[in-house]
């Protein structure tokens, strides 16, 4: 951990601040943390189900509201939380001030409802810190170049917290309703172990492959700016997971985690053509319609005969179908499949992981539709009814 770090950003999610009682409990924990750190910035999400309720209300008014107005609406959720938390701290004798994203200097770019952080003007935050305030910032939001309030999309509060920590050279602690990051989702494998340490790379791979504790964007930011990350239970009464640069002790096990992504759509396209540019055109058209593609495979069976397969999410089924029909392509969908991934930094140095997993699948009569690899992960697309079974088998095999 960077010895020059002089403060901490603490982030609390919606379940941690769901009602006044919980907000008061968070205030007590912040005061306790202040005994160690002079400089504390708090980033919070909207209370409980506030965001979902705001979205429901908007649909009662307008089935298709503009994204600009949705950003104006959704940003109010965090504003409620920051003001209540500032009041709670003040009632306990602490100097505290709440700041919206734009007041905190969070500058964004991109589209409404999925903007990205361009920069943070830290002057106002630092001014209040020097005056011994606990600074409470609304996560998930900022302001764009024309002065419109914007929101950062899924996991936006985590991203806000890490970005502020990076700008201030603080560490970042993300408090949630789980004790840390586990080897496997405990809901799928009850004997899963909490991990004390993870590398940035492993955590990012896990976040991209289905682990829901933290969003990929925030891990990527932490890795880029070397922000020390800590994921823990919101009561802070058990040790959580520290995320840092890779060390030698991280190479002891070949597998660190098993992650699952459900809601997968597998698309198979049979293509007869002499012009391979047609294959490229498929993905150009999908990209133009903002269809995110995951695993891609291409097989040539005979002269001018190809099978192209790719995965996306089920909510893209209609748009994918429309695009492929317009291109007069012969295709089919395979639904009710999931992606199961095994992840571990030591995979790059330890041979035999892939062959052992293939052996396990064969021994248990579990077929897979697709497989993809990276330096530190192997992912299999399998039928949903096999997921729990293979997760348990792999977890036992690798002592997770």
């Amino acid at each position: 951990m960077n010895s020059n770090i002089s403060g901490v950003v603490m982030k609390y999610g919606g379940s941690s601040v769901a009602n006044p009682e919980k907000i008061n409990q968070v205030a007590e924990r912040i005061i306790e943390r202040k005994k160690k750190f002079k400089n504390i910035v708090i980033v919070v999400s909207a209370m409980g189900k506030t965001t979902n309720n705001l979205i429901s209300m908007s649909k009662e008014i307008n089935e298709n509201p503009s994204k600009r107005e949705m950003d104006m609406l959704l940003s109010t959720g965090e504003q409620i939380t920051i003001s209540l938390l500032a009041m709670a701290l003040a009632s306990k004798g602490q100097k505290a001030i709440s700041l919206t994203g734009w007041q905190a200097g969070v500058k964004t770019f991109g589209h409404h409802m999925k903007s990205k952080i361009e920069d943070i003007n830290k002057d106002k935050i630092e001014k209040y810190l020097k005056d011994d305030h606990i600074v409470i910032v609304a996560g998930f939001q900022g302001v764009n170049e024309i002065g419109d309030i914007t929101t950062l999309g899924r996991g936006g509060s985590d991203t806000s917290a890490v970005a502020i920590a990076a700008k201030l050279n603080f560490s970042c602690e993300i408090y949630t309703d789980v004790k840390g990051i586990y080897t496997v989702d405990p809901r799928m494998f009850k004997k899963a172990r909490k991990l004390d340490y993870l590398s940035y790379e492993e955590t990012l791979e896990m976040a991209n492959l289905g682990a829901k504790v933290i969003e990929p964007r925030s891990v990527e930011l932490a890795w880029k700016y070397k922000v020390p990350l800590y994921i823990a239970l919101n009561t802070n009464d058990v040790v959580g997971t520290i995320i840092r640069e890779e060390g030698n002790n991280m190479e002891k096990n070949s597998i660190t985690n098993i992650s699952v992504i459900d809601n997968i759509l597998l698309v198979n396209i049979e293509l007869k053509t002499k012009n391979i540019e047609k294959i490229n055109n498929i993905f150009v058209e999908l990209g133009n319609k903002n269809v995110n593609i995951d695993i891609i495979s291409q097989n040539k069976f005979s002269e001018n005969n190809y099978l192209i397969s790719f995965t996306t999410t089920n909510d893209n089924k209609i748009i994918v179908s429309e695009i492929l029909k317009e291109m007069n392509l012969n295709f089919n969908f395979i639904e009710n499949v999931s992606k199961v991934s095994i992840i571990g930094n030591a995979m790059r140095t330890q041979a035999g992981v892939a062959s052992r997993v293939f052996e396990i699948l064969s021994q248990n009569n579990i077929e897979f539709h697709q497989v993809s690899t990276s330096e530190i992960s192997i992912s299999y697309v399998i039928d949903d009814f096999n997921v729990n079974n293979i997760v348990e088998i792999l977890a036992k095999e690798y002592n997770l």
Side-chain angles (χ1 to χ4, degrees):
M1 192 170 287
N2 191 334
S3 60
N4 295 320
I5 286 172
S6 59
V8 62
V9 175
M10 301 170 68
K11 181 262 175 177
Y12 286 94
S15 61
S16 303
V17 290
N19 54 51
E21 181 184 1
K22 289 189 174 183
I23 289 173
N24 272 308
Q25 290 171 353
V26 165
E28 293 287 354
R29 294 178 202 121
I30 293 167
I31 293 168
E32 188 63 28
R33 206 78 182 99
K34 191 92 166 62
K35 294 176 182 177
K36 179 175 180 181
F37 289 100
K38 178 182 184 297
N39 297 316
I40 291 186
V41 177
I42 310 299
V43 174
V44 289
S45 301
M47 297 169 64
K49 298 180 180 179
T50 299
T51 300
N52 289 337
N53 292 338
L54 291 170
I55 291 171
S56 296
M57 280 195 289
S58 74
K59 288 181 178 178
E60 291 181 25
I61 301 294
N62 186 332
E63 278 292 330
N64 189 29
S66 76
K67 288 182 169 56
R68 180 192 183 277
E69 298 308 329
M70 284 301 296
D71 274 356
M72 288 288 285
L73 176 67
L74 297 181
S75 64
T76 64
E78 282 71 23
Q79 191 169 332
I80 293 169
T81 315
I82 59 173
S83 56
L84 289 174
L85 183 54
M87 293 175 194
L89 286 164
S91 72
K92 301 175 192 303
Q94 295 292 317
K95 292 174 72 173
I97 188 161
S98 62
L99 300 174
T100 62
W102 68 266
Q103 287 175 320
V106 180
K107 300 175 183 178
T108 63
F109 69 98
H111 301 288
H112 279 287
M113 297 188 74
K114 53 180 179 180
S115 289
K116 295 183 178 180
I117 296 175
E118 180 176 24
D119 195 10
I120 298 175
N121 183 336
K122 61 182 180 177
D123 291 351
K124 184 171 283 191
I125 294 176
E126 289 188 330
K127 170 178 173 278
Y128 285 114
L129 288 175
K130 286 175 183 176
D131 197 31
D132 204 33
H133 281 81
I134 295 170
V135 180
I136 307 160
V137 179
F140 178 66
Q141 62 181 249
V143 62
N144 65 17
E145 70 278 3
I146 62 171
D148 280 346
I149 293 173
T150 60
T151 62
L152 304 177
R154 185 178 175 182
S157 291
D158 286 357
T159 305
S160 300
V162 174
I164 292 169
K167 197 70 179 180
L168 296 171
N169 193 32
F170 285 6
S171 60
C172 184
E173 300 173 352
I174 295 178
Y175 292 98
T176 179
D177 52 6
V178 295
K179 294 179 181 179
I181 299 177
Y182 282 76
T183 53
V184 190
D185 187 334
R187 292 170 297 183
M188 300 188 72
F189 184 63
K190 291 181 180 179
K191 295 181 180 179
R193 293 182 293 104
K194 182 178 63 64
L195 294 159
D196 294 330
Y197 298 96
L198 275 172
S199 69
Y200 292 118
E201 185 178 16
E202 284 174 310
T203 309
L204 181 58
E205 195 86 354
M206 288 163 59
N208 280 320
L209 292 174
K212 297 178 176 64
V213 178
I214 188 168
E215 287 297 314
R217 287 163 65 191
S218 53
V219 182
E220 201 167 3
L221 264 179
W223 191 5
K224 180 178 180 179
Y225 293 102
K226 301 298 181 283
V227 175
L229 266 182
Y230 178 65
I231 314 295
L233 187 65
N234 49 30
T235 57
N236 202 22
D237 54 2
V238 293
V239 177
T241 302
I242 294 171
I243 299 166
R244 63 187 188 189
E245 293 191 82
E246 184 177 350
N248 291 333
N249 64 321
M250 295 178 181
E251 296 187 0
K252 290 181 180 177
N253 295 318
S254 60
I255 305 300
T256 305
N257 173 267
I258 299 172
S259 291
V260 176
I261 299 178
D262 52 18
N263 191 36
I264 296 290
L265 178 70
L266 176 59
V267 184
N268 295 313
I269 303 168
E270 294 181 19
L271 190 62
K272 295 184 178 182
T273 181
K274 293 181 180 180
N275 182 8
I276 61 171
E277 186 65 21
K278 279 193 172 183
I279 298 172
N280 177 58
N281 290 341
I282 294 170
F283 296 103
V284 169
E285 290 299 318
L286 291 166
N288 288 339
K289 296 294 186 179
N290 293 316
V291 176
N292 289 323
I293 302 300
D294 189 13
I295 302 173
I296 302 174
S297 64
Q298 175 187 318
N299 294 298
K300 186 175 181 179
F301 290 102
S302 60
E303 191 65 28
N304 306 326
N305 285 307
Y306 298 87
L307 175 64
I308 297 104
S309 298
F310 63 86
T311 57
T312 183
T313 52
N314 270 318
D315 53 8
N316 285 322
K317 182 179 178 180
I318 293 174
I319 186 65
V320 170
S321 179
E322 290 174 351
I323 291 169
L324 299 183
K325 283 178 180 177
E326 286 176 8
M327 299 181 74
N328 294 315
L329 295 173
N330 183 19
F331 67 94
N332 65 70
F333 294 142
I334 298 178
E335 300 177 76
N336 301 313
V337 292
S338 298
K339 182 164 74 169
V340 178
S341 304
I342 58 174
I343 302 158
N345 263 344
M347 259 195 241
R348 58 164 61 95
T349 58
Q350 295 187 18
V353 175
S355 61
R356 177 57 184 147
V357 176
F358 279 113
E359 185 181 13
I360 290 169
L361 290 168
S362 175
Q363 289 172 346
N364 291 276
N365 296 314
I366 296 175
E367 295 182 348
F368 61 90
H369 299 279
Q370 276 192 326
V371 61
S372 67
T373 63
S374 76
E375 269 199 319
I376 65 167
S377 70
I378 307 172
S379 299
Y380 298 86
V381 176
I382 66 173
D383 295 311
D384 286 345
F385 60 81
N386 278 322
V387 169
N388 287 337
N389 187 26
I390 192 60
V391 166
E392 183 167 352
I393 291 168
L394 290 173
K396 291 177 179 177
E397 170 73 18
Y398 292 103
N399 192 30
L400 299 178

